Amino acid sequence: SGYNNAVKAVAGSLAGLVDLELMPIRPWLNPPRPGARAFGGLTVRTSPFGTIRRFLREGLVRSAQYNVRGIDRIKYSWQYALNSEAISRVLADRKYDIVHVHGMSFEVLPVYNECMRAGIPMVGTAHGSNYFDPNIRLYFDRELERDLAIELAKGKNAITVVSTAVRDRYLSEFGIDPERVYTVRNGVDLPPARDEPRRREARGRLGIPQDRPIMLTVGSLIKRKNQREVIAALPSIRMELNPLYVIVGDGPNRDELESLVMDLDLVDD
């Protein structure tokens, strides 16, 4: 995925500076990943079932606390138990100075909890915010994000977010100390100048006018990515800018987005 590739790139740049390890979201299941020194496939079979049962009880309590329902409660409670058990052993064995966790969801809740128990400082990165968008469908209660952010703002931890807008909302809605929240924007290093011959050749090959603005979205076609909002805004800027909106990706919302393009008469000839 894009996150995996980004993490591998960061790991490669840091590998010569710090002692770095990458942990998959399910350390008891996933195979090792390339980049820096990665590990995975940590078995839980050698652990006493009583340990798993203890974490399973905690997972059930947490899933009830954050409104995980039905079969999801069983599924994620077991996942919580297995993750917690494996992570607690990893933390005890590796003696980390700091742990960086991506996301604030039920999947990574065991990592936060076990690091807090072990007293290990953390950096939690929010790639967006589920708390402020009721249109996003989640299997857990969005209050989890708020609770994690408030808890992370304590002690020696820090929070990074991908935009000023998310940071402002964390500060205003969650009452977090501004010195605990840092904005680290997503981005790539661009070359100092565009390769104009290649650009003109590519546009010619694709039949795109040389002077037409292009808007590009790369991502899964899911509700959370919200390509629908961009498509819905195109008629209001079509006469003035006439941009070509290119979406690279696939997913369950493809038919819905294609229907919206047809309904708004946005199909290029």
Side-chain angles (χ1 to χ4, degrees):
S1 71
Y3 285 162
N4 288 345
N5 292 334
V7 168
K8 283 189 287 186
V10 173
S13 64
L14 292 177
L17 304 175
V18 296
D19 193 11
L20 180 70
E21 291 185 332
L22 306 179
M23 182 187 296
I25 194 171
R26 299 177 184 86
W28 45 273
L29 175 64
N30 293 45
R33 294 180 178 176
R37 185 171 75 252
F39 63 90
L42 301 174
T43 179
V44 298
R45 292 179 216 161
T46 58
S47 302
F49 183 74
T51 304
I52 302 292
R53 187 168 55 188
R54 175 168 62 89
F55 284 121
L56 178 58
R57 284 198 300 268
E58 182 177 328
L60 287 167
V61 169
R62 291 285 189 171
S63 63
Q65 177 184 358
Y66 292 111
N67 206 25
V68 181
R69 301 187 185 93
I71 192 67
D72 281 344
R73 175 169 294 185
I74 299 173
K75 172 184 174 182
Y76 287 107
S77 295
W78 269 108
Q79 180 175 307
Y80 183 100
L82 296 173
N83 281 356
S84 294
E85 194 277 340
I87 291 163
S88 66
R89 289 191 292 116
V90 170
L91 297 181
D93 178 60
R94 299 301 205 279
K95 310 295 183 185
Y96 294 124
D97 296 310
I98 190 167
V99 172
H100 184 188
V101 188
H102 283 263
M104 295 192 182
S105 65
F106 201 80
E107 287 96 338
V108 293
L109 181 59
V111 184
Y112 287 113
N113 286 342
E114 294 310 309
C115 285
M116 290 176 188
R117 285 194 181 105
I120 299 174
M122 287 177 287
V123 175
T125 293
H127 292 273
S129 179
N130 298 322
Y131 184 85
F132 303 103
D133 189 350
N135 295 316
I136 296 176
R137 296 180 61 186
L138 302 170
Y139 66 86
F140 57 88
D141 193 285
R142 61 191 70 249
E143 300 297 322
L144 171 62
E145 179 183 0
R146 180 202 62 191
D147 293 350
L148 273 176
I150 292 174
E151 194 64 32
L152 271 174
K154 302 175 183 177
K156 299 179 180 179
N157 308 312
I159 300 170
T160 64
V161 296
V162 298
S163 71
T164 302
V166 176
R167 182 179 187 273
D168 290 345
R169 283 194 158 186
Y170 267 44
L171 300 183
S172 62
E173 298 291 334
F174 300 160
I176 294 175
D177 182 352
E179 294 187 358
R180 297 289 187 181
V181 187
Y182 302 85
T183 302
V184 181
R185 294 178 176 84
N186 292 330
V188 295
D189 291 329
L190 297 175
R194 291 187 298 183
D195 188 338
E196 287 297 328
R198 291 185 61 186
R199 175 180 177 274
R200 288 194 297 269
E201 188 274 332
R203 281 178 173 254
R205 187 174 68 250
L206 296 172
I208 303 172
Q210 296 295 327
D211 59 348
R212 187 176 186 186
I214 297 177
M215 299 167 53
L216 174 66
T217 293
V218 180
S220 301
L221 306 187
I222 56 178
K223 191 169 186 178
R224 182 164 58 88
K225 298 298 184 180
N226 208 13
Q227 295 96 343
R228 181 183 182 87
E229 194 76 15
V230 180
I231 295 172
L234 290 177
S236 64
I237 61 174
R238 190 175 191 183
M239 294 299 296
E240 180 180 358
L241 299 175
N242 191 31
L244 175 64
Y245 183 34
V246 179
I247 301 176
V248 179
D250 203 354
N253 282 19
R254 180 178 185 131
D255 290 344
E256 176 189 336
L257 296 176
E258 289 180 345
S259 295
L260 179 61
V261 169
M262 298 294 292
D263 292 342
L264 296 177
D265 193 25
L266 295 173
V267 179
D268 276 356
D269 294 331

